[in-house]
C-alpha cells in the first residue's frame, strides 16, 4: 500500500496547547502582526510562552545556547506551537531555531566565517555577482525568524554576543547602486531577491525593487526568496497589501514576458499545516509560482523517509521542490551538518517516488565561492576522512573546492587523524592528488 499520510495536514487550533496561546482564537493567530509582535527573541520570552511545558533543564540549556549562538534568536508563535515540547531535544522545528548549549560541537578546523566567500564576489554592497547570467540581491538584513544554520550569519540579523554583522544595502538609496550595476551588465538575466527575507520588505519597497528590475530590459527572470511561508504562512492569508504587491509585480512581469516567482524554504514536513495549504492555495489562484529550497539538516530531514514526506507534501500543495542544499560550513552549528554520503543516500531514496519536476536536485554550494554543484559530481570523495573535492568550470575555471563532512560523523580513527594538523594536511593533499589536481595553489578551501 502506498503511504498517503503525507496528505494529512495538521489542523484545528493546535496552538492552544501552548500556555501563552491558550486563549488565542483563530483570527488572532492568523493575524501576521500578532505573529510578529509575539515572536520569541529571548530565553525569558521562551519561558513565559511555554511555561511548564518545557523542563527547567531544557530552559537552562537554551539560555546558554542563546548566549553562544552566532545568530540572534527569533521564533514565530506558529513555529513555537509546532514544537513537540514533551521532547524538544529531538524536535525538528526546535533544532532549526532554538540553540541548546549541550548539543553544540566544535567547528570543523577548515571552517571559515563567510564560507561561501560572498563578500569577494560582491561588486556593490548588497549584490553578489558570481555566475555569468544571474546575481543575488540582498536588500534587507532581517527575517521573520532567524535560522540557526543561516549561511549569511556574517550579515543577517542584529549583532549577537559573538558576532558583529557586516552591512548590506538596506535602504532604497543604497539599492540605486545595485540597480545601476545590474543595468550596466547586459549579461544579467536573472535576479534573486533574498536577504534577509523578502517577507520583511514593506509592500511599497517590494514594488519598488520589482518594478526597477523589471524596467531593466535585459532582466528576464526574478525570484523573491522568503522563509516566510514555512514559519508564518498566515501572512499570505491576512497581509493583503504584501500579497497584492507581489501579485502586482508578477502580473506586470507576465505582461512584459518576464518570469517572476516566489522561492521559499521548507525544511521539515511538520512545518506544513492546513494553514500552509490555505496560504499556498491563495498564491496558486493568483498565478504566483512557488519553488522550494531546503537545507539538509541532521535530525530535521536527513532520514530518507522524512525527506520523501517533505517532497511529497510540497508537491501536494503545488510547491515545486527545487533544491536540497548541503548544509553550508557555518560557524557554531556543526551539530546540524551531515555528510555528502548522506545526501547521496537520501537522494537515491527520494528519486522515483514522484514526478521528476517535483524531485529536488541535491547540491553543495562549494565553500570558497565555487557555486552550487550537484553533490554527485565530485572529482573525488574520500568518504573515510570526509573530504569531497569539486570543480566548477563555468563559475571559477581551473579552481578546486572542498567540502568537509562533519568530523563527529566519521569513524574514530578518522576523527583522530583530524586532531593532528600535519596528518590532516596530508589527507587533504592526497584527496586532491586523487582528484587529479596537481597544483595545490589553485585550491580554495
Ligand atoms: C544560489 C545563487 C544564485 C541562483 O542560483 P540558481 O542555481 O539559479 O538557483 C545566484 N547567485 C548566487 C550568488 C547564489 O548563491
Ligand atoms: S530566513 Fe534565510 S536569511 Fe533569514 S536567517 Fe533563515 S536562512 Fe538566514
Amino acid at each position: 500500500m502506498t503511504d498517503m499520510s503525507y496528505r494529512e495536514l495538521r489542523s484545528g487550533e493546535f496552538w492552544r496547547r501552548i500556555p501563552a496561546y491558550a486563549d488565542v482564537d483563530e483570527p488572532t493567530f492568523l493575524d501576521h502582526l500578532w505573529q510578529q509582535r509575539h515572536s520569541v527573541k529571548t530565553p525569558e520570552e521562551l519561558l513565559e510562552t511555554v511555561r511548564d511545558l518545557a523542563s527547567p533543564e531544557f530552559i537552562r540549556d537554551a539560555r546558554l545556547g542563546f548566549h553562544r549562538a552566532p545568530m540572534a534568536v527569533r521564533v514565530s508563535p506558529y513555529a513555537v506551537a509546532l514544537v513537540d515540547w514533551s521532547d524538544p531535544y529531538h524536535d525538528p522545528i526546535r533544532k532549526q531555531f532554538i540553540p541548546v548549549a549541550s548539543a553544540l560541537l566544535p567547528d570543523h578546523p577548515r571552517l571559515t566565517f563567510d564560507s561561501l566567500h560572498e563578500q569577494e564576489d560582491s561588486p556593490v554592497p548588497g549584490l553578489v555577482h558570481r555566475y555569468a547570467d544571474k546575481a543575488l540581491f540582498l536588500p534587507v538584513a532581517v527575517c521573520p525568524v532567524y535560522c540557526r544554520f543561516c549561511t549569511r550569519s556574517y550579515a543577517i540579523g542584529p549583532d549577537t554576543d559573538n558576532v558583529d554583522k557586516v552591512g548590506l544595502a538596506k535602504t532604497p538609496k543604497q539599492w540605486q547602486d545595485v540597480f545601476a550595476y545590474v543595468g550596466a551588465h547586459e549579461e544579467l538575466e536573472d535576479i534573486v531577491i533574498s536577504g534577509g527575507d523578502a517577507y520583511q520588505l514593506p509592500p511599497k519597497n517590494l514594488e519598488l525593487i520589482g518594478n526597477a528590475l523589471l524596467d531593466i530590459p535585459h532582466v528576464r527572470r526574478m525570484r523573491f526568496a522568503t522563509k516566510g511561508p514555512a514559519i508564518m504562512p498566515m501572512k499570505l492569508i491576512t497581509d493583503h497589501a504584501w500579497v497584492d504587491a507581489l501579485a502586482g509585480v508578477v502580473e506586470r512581469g507576465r505582461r512584459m514576458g518576464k518570469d517572476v516567482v516566489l522561492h521559499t524554504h521548507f525544511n521539515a514536513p511538520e512545518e506544513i499545516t492546513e494553514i500552509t495549504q490555505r496560504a499556498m492555495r491563495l498564491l496558486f489562484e493568483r498565478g504566483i509560482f512557488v519553488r522550494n529550497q531546503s537545507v539538509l539538516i541532521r535530525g530535521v530531514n536527513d532520514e530518507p523517509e522524512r525527506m520523501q514526506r517533505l517532497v511529497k507534501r510540497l508537491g501536494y500543495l503545488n510547491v515545486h521542490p527545487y533544491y536540497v542544499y548541503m548544509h553550508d560550513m557555518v560557524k557554531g552549528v556543526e551539530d546540524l551538518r551531515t555528510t555528502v554520503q548522506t545526501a547521496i543516500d537520501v537522494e537515491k531514496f527520494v528519486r522515483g517516488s514522484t514526478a521528476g519536476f517535483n524531485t529536488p536536485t541535491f547540491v553543495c554550494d562549494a565553500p570558497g565561492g565555487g557555486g552550487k554543484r550537484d553533490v554527485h559530481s565530485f572529482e573525488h570523495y574520500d568518504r573515510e576522512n570526509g573530504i569531497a573535492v569539486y570543480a566548477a568550470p563555468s563559475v571559477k575555471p581551473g579552481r578546486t573546492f572542498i567540502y568537509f563532512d562533519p568530523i563527529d560523523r566519521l569513524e574514530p580513527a578518522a576523527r583522530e587523524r583530524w586532531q593532528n594538523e600535519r596528518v590532516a594536511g596530508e589527507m587533504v593533499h592526497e584527496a586532491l592528488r586523487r582528484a587529479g589536481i596537481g597544483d595545490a595553489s589553485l585550491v580554495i578551501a
Side-chain angles (χ1 to χ4, degrees):
M1 253 312 269
T2 309
D3 176 13
M4 288 182 289
S5 61
Y6 65 88
R7 296 182 190 165
E8 289 158 20
L9 304 178
R10 201 159 178 186
S11 60
E13 300 187 329
F14 56 86
W15 57 88
R16 288 195 191 249
R17 291 177 313 119
I18 306 295
Y21 312 150
D23 298 325
V24 172
D25 60 11
E26 184 176 90
T28 308
F29 195 72
L30 294 190
D31 177 357
H32 66 104
L33 293 174
W34 184 88
Q35 287 281 331
Q36 278 174 24
R37 270 199 307 275
H38 291 82
S39 288
V40 168
K41 296 178 286 304
T42 64
E44 290 70 33
E45 287 171 358
L46 180 64
L47 183 57
E48 281 163 30
T49 305
V50 300
R51 295 175 211 162
D52 52 5
L53 279 188
S55 68
E57 294 75 37
F58 177 84
I59 295 289
R60 209 172 306 129
D61 205 357
R63 192 181 294 281
L64 276 173
F66 275 53
H67 175 64
R68 291 205 206 146
M71 285 299 283
V73 173
R74 181 166 178 180
V75 199
S76 60
Y78 176 76
V80 170
L82 291 177
V83 172
D84 175 4
W85 288 102
S86 67
D87 188 13
Y89 280 104
H90 295 103
D91 187 88
I93 313 283
R94 193 288 297 163
K95 284 186 186 192
Q96 295 181 69
F97 305 112
I98 301 173
V100 290
S102 63
L104 296 180
L105 293 170
D107 287 331
H108 195 287
R110 298 293 173 113
L111 186 145
T112 58
F113 200 35
D114 168 16
S115 138
L116 302 182
H117 290 211
E118 290 191 329
Q119 293 171 73
E120 278 170 24
D121 282 332
S122 179
V124 283
L127 191 80
V128 184
H129 185 187
R130 165 165 302 153
Y131 299 94
D133 73 349
K134 58 193 178 187
L136 170 67
F137 177 24
L138 309 171
V140 52
V142 287
C143 304
V145 291
Y146 292 119
C147 313
R148 289 183 52 215
F149 48 88
C150 184
T151 296
R152 298 196 188 96
S153 57
Y154 69 87
I156 298 303
D159 292 345
T160 65
D161 289 355
N162 283 308
V163 181
D164 291 328
K165 307 286 171 169
V166 173
L168 299 177
K170 285 173 260 191
T171 63
K173 195 160 169 292
Q174 289 171 307
W175 300 341
Q176 298 305 325
D177 295 340
V178 170
F179 303 146
Y181 180 92
V182 175
H185 286 258
E186 281 199 34
E187 70 276 19
L188 285 174
E189 286 185 4
D190 181 352
I191 309 296
V192 181
I193 301 126
S194 183
D197 195 298
Y199 243 39
Q200 301 309 102
L201 287 170
K204 71 171 186 340
N205 286 348
L206 195 155
E207 279 167 349
L208 185 158
I209 290 170
N211 287 325
L213 292 171
L214 284 177
D215 286 337
I216 297 171
H218 50 268
V219 171
R220 305 285 306 153
R221 299 178 288 282
M222 284 158 49
R223 344 169 188 174
F224 285 95
T226 171
K227 176 88 185 162
I231 46 71
M232 207 185 280
M234 51 282 289
K235 181 178 168 88
L236 302 172
I237 300 172
T238 56
D239 190 350
H240 301 292
W242 194 87
V243 175
D244 286 346
L246 177 65
V249 177
V250 170
E251 283 157 19
R252 179 163 179 254
R254 190 172 294 127
R255 285 194 300 273
M256 298 169 83
K258 300 187 178 197
D259 184 40
V260 182
V261 304
L262 193 71
H263 274 204
T264 186
H265 179 182
F266 290 93
N267 287 330
E270 292 79 8
E271 290 161 1
I272 302 172
T273 65
E274 221 170 38
I275 301 173
T276 324
Q277 186 175 37
R278 283 169 63 187
M280 292 300 109
R281 178 70 191 259
L282 285 172
L283 296 187
F284 191 76
E285 282 171 7
R286 298 195 67 170
I288 301 172
F289 189 75
V290 186
R291 293 194 194 100
N292 187 66
Q293 309 188 170
S294 299
V295 177
L296 189 67
I297 305 173
R298 196 194 300 187
V300 173
N301 57 19
D302 67 335
E303 287 162 32
E305 290 79 8
R306 283 184 55 77
M307 180 58 80
Q308 185 187 51
R309 194 175 179 79
L310 173 66
V311 163
K312 299 268 290 185
R313 203 165 256 184
L314 288 167
Y316 193 61
L317 267 53
N318 293 322
V319 175
H320 277 203
Y322 173 39
Y323 279 148
V324 175
Y325 287 87
M326 288 304 297
H327 193 301
D328 288 324
M329 294 188 64
V330 177
K331 259 188 190 303
V333 285
E334 201 66 356
D335 56 305
L336 297 179
R337 290 205 306 128
T338 183
T339 62
V340 170
Q341 186 60 48
T342 305
I344 291 169
D345 294 341
V346 172
E347 197 273 351
K348 188 184 289 184
F349 186 81
V350 170
R351 186 162 297 277
S353 48
T354 188
F357 56 75
N358 272 340
T359 305
T361 305
F362 285 61
V363 294
C364 176
D365 209 339
K372 300 169 187 71
R373 310 310 304 165
D374 185 318
V375 289
H376 302 82
S377 71
F378 46 77
E379 307 299 307
H380 176 69
Y381 181 23
D382 172 359
R383 288 170 173 77
E384 207 181 319
N385 295 309
I387 305 172
V389 182
Y390 291 94
S394 295
V395 185
K396 301 269 161 75
R399 283 165 53 173
T400 303
F401 306 88
I402 308 179
Y403 184 85
F404 296 97
D405 291 338
I407 288 174
D408 74 295
R409 287 270 135 149
L410 307 176
E411 294 298 323
R415 284 197 298 238
E416 200 155 308
R417 285 196 285 276
W418 274 108
Q419 297 306 313
N420 182 323
E421 224 170 280
R422 189 185 51 79
V423 174
E426 281 165 11
M427 292 180 330
V428 173
H429 254 94
E430 178 61 14
L432 291 167
R433 198 186 60 73
R434 291 192 174 223
I437 314 297
D439 184 355
S441 68
L442 299 176
V443 170
I444 319 235

